[in-house]
Amino acid sequence: MAPAGSKKGILERLDAGEIVIGDGGFVFALEKRGYVKAGPWTPEAAVEHPEAVRQLHREFLRAGANVMQTFTFYASDDKLENRGNDLRISGEKINEAACDLAREVANEGDALVAGGVSQTPSYLSCKSENEVKAIFKKQLEVFIKKNVDFLIAEYFEHVEEAEWAVQVLNTSGKPVAASLCIGPEGDLNGVSCGECAVRLVKAGAKIVGVNCHFDPMTCLKTVKLMKEGLEAAKLKAHLMIQPLAYHTPDCNHQGFIDLPEFPFALEPRILTRWDMHKYAREAYNMGIRYIGGCCGFEPYHTRALAEELAPERGFLPAASQKHGSWGNGLDMHTKPWVRARARRDYWEKLLPASGRPLCPSMSTPDGWGVTKGHADLMQQREATTEGQLKELFEKQKKAKVTA
């Protein structure tokens, strides 16, 4: 394959109208595989189990992704040391290892490497702008050293912190994308989606959009509002979208982390591969050209995006060699009633059952309504104490009573 330097860059691809498919949600995928701990959600697996991270990159590449995002989500020093998470592995080593793995696999195909930073405990604890920016600068130093192709500031609930991240990343001279984990109501401080997009572009982002916290259809509504905000301000930027692979019609402002099923009982909400076809087509029709996924996305979801958009891209991903279009491989099945499902019409019209007759179709989110500056969100290096947990249990009981 061509070396990294000879590949078209992210802006060159998007400026030409090409479709860029992002990879999926590494922390959830690797947690299910036993390499990430739910709670801290930190990426030490890049050092401790590089073979697992490498294999997941490779599966997303084979499924059609042409961005390998470094597994550096929550890899800032303050997050790696938060609430007793004593890893004894430096943030620098984790970030370096993640960059090396992403580059190794990206070089196996026509993929780019994106270095990513995300929201910090320091911002939630009301640290100063300079202190928060210093955290992003430490990660950026590694990304520059490893010469990633572009940078992503992702998973930000507050546009102010995302602006700070973009401003830092922009000093590298590399293209910067910015992705908020917000819904149609805007960020957690009430800044509208349109205004969020305007502020990110003015901070220096060339690509803006959303990731995580909400399902594809909700995220599409949010990006539409961002697009309208940019048009009203006469600003231009490419649009990106990397939603959850979970249905979240019952979510409130905070998204899926408020659902009582988060994070260990979300499986009944998983989107099918056919849901992904619909999402990909609607995103494309909206003018979005950077289309990917976040938590819950597995390689087969990404393959569905690539298969839906194959006519526009001009090729199918390698993984489609083992997947008949719209289930047509079922014509080889031994049972005739299964062979009868080898058609698009069947899968497009199917209403999947959950097999859970005693379960509701939707939940009541917790909705504590707290954000940056509230005492409940102040972070600490020490482990959470039993007393602190008991206090939270009581608050949870009261919240359910008033819900």
Side-chain angles (χ1 to χ4, degrees), residues 17-65:
E18 293 182 25
I19 297 167
V20 172
I21 293 184
D23 54 11
F26 269 59
V27 287
F28 266 49
L30 289 170
E31 190 277 332
K32 289 182 174 69
R33 290 159 169 78
Y35 299 105
V36 165
K37 186 175 184 179
W41 302 110
T42 46
E44 58 272 22
V47 173
E48 295 177 342
H49 298 285
E51 73 287 351
V53 178
R54 181 186 296 109
Q55 178 62 21
L56 190 55
H57 275 306
R58 197 164 276 149
E59 289 178 23
F60 279 114
L61 179 73
R62 179 175 166 79

Side-chain angles (χ1 to χ4, degrees), residues 26 29 31 53 57 119 130 153 192 245 274 295 335 355 365 367 383 391 402:
F26 269 59
E31 190 277 332
V53 178
H57 275 306
Q119 66 181 6
N130 286 339
S192 72
W274 316 118
C295 297
K335 304 296 189 290
E391 185 179 339
T402 58

Side-chain angles (χ1 to χ4, degrees), residues 72-383:
T72 52
F73 177 80
Y74 276 169
S76 60
D77 285 343
D78 62 336
K79 186 68 175 76
L80 293 168
E81 299 170 351
N82 197 46
R83 294 197 173 275
N85 193 34
D86 185 16
L87 295 178
R88 304 185 183 213
I89 305 173
S90 71
E92 182 180 18
K93 284 187 177 179
I94 292 172
N95 282 277
E96 286 184 348
C99 288
D100 290 341
L101 291 166
R103 178 62 72 194
E104 177 186 345
V105 177
N107 284 348
E108 296 173 6
D110 186 32
L112 301 173
V113 174
V117 301
S118 48
Q119 66 181 6
T120 64
S122 292
Y123 182 81
L124 284 180
S125 298
C126 301
K127 296 289 181 68
S128 70
E129 178 179 348
N130 286 339
E131 288 174 300
V132 174
K133 283 185 171 181
I135 292 167
F136 297 136
K137 285 176 183 175
K138 285 191 73 174
Q139 285 189 271
L140 178 60
E141 288 171 1
V142 175
F143 298 147
I144 292 173
K145 175 183 175 183
K146 294 296 183 177
N147 195 28
V148 300
D149 298 307
F150 69 104
L151 300 156
I152 302 179
E154 70 161 5
Y155 196 79
F156 286 88
E157 298 170 308
H158 305 86
V159 69
E160 179 182 57
E161 187 183 15
E163 286 178 289
W164 295 351
V166 170
Q167 288 163 0
V168 170
L169 299 181
N170 221 28
T171 62
S172 68
K174 296 179 181 291
V176 177
S179 185
L180 305 178
C181 51
I182 64 173
E185 296 178 43
D187 86 346
L188 292 191
N189 284 332
V191 181
S192 72
C193 300
E195 180 61 22
C196 284
V198 168
R199 287 172 60 170
L200 293 172
V201 171
K202 287 184 176 179
K206 302 298 184 185
I207 310 164
V208 297
V210 295
N211 77 294
C212 208
H213 275 208
F214 297 92
D215 62 29
M217 295 305 132
T218 305
C219 286
L220 285 167
K221 293 176 185 175
T222 306
V223 176
K224 183 174 184 290
L225 293 170
M226 298 177 88
K227 181 180 181 181
E228 291 171 354
L230 291 173
E231 289 171 349
K234 293 181 169 52
L235 293 173
K236 290 186 177 181
H238 294 290
L239 301 174
M240 70 183 298
I241 183 169
Q242 301 205 95
L244 298 174
Y246 303 108
H247 291 285
T248 62
D250 42 353
C251 277
N252 57 22
H253 199 181
Q254 183 78 65
F256 83 141
I257 61 173
D258 273 10
L259 291 174
E261 300 94 345
F262 176 87
F264 298 129
L266 289 164
E267 284 81 0
R269 294 173 175 267
I270 282 280
L271 275 77
T272 69
R273 64 194 71 194
W274 316 118
D275 293 325
M276 293 298 176
H277 276 264
K278 181 179 179 182
Y279 149 55
R281 182 52 55 193
E282 294 203 17
Y284 182 84
N285 289 344
M286 191 185 293
I288 303 170
R289 292 296 178 267
Y290 191 133
I291 303 170
C294 200
C295 297
F297 262 73
E298 292 283 346
Y300 75 94
H301 290 122
T302 300
R303 179 179 61 189
L305 305 183
E307 289 181 343
E308 174 62 30
L309 298 171
E312 288 79 11
R313 297 180 90 200
F315 61 92
L316 284 166
S320 292
Q321 295 168 7
K322 298 294 184 180
H323 186 245
S325 178
W326 289 99
N328 66 19
L330 297 179
D331 62 8
M332 302 171 68
H333 203 278
T334 56
K335 304 296 189 290
W337 56 89
V338 178
R339 291 199 297 274
R341 300 171 190 160
R343 65 188 195 278
R344 177 172 182 163
D345 179 66
Y346 176 87
W347 294 109
E348 275 194 319
K349 293 180 179 178
L350 182 70
L351 299 176
S354 70
R356 297 174 179 269
L358 302 181
C359 292
S361 61
M362 293 195 282
S363 301
T364 301
D366 283 338
W368 285 21
V370 300
T371 188
K372 179 204 172 188
H374 192 282
D376 287 348
L377 283 181
M378 299 302 285
Q379 303 300 307
Q380 61 190 48
R381 286 190 65 172
E382 301 76 24

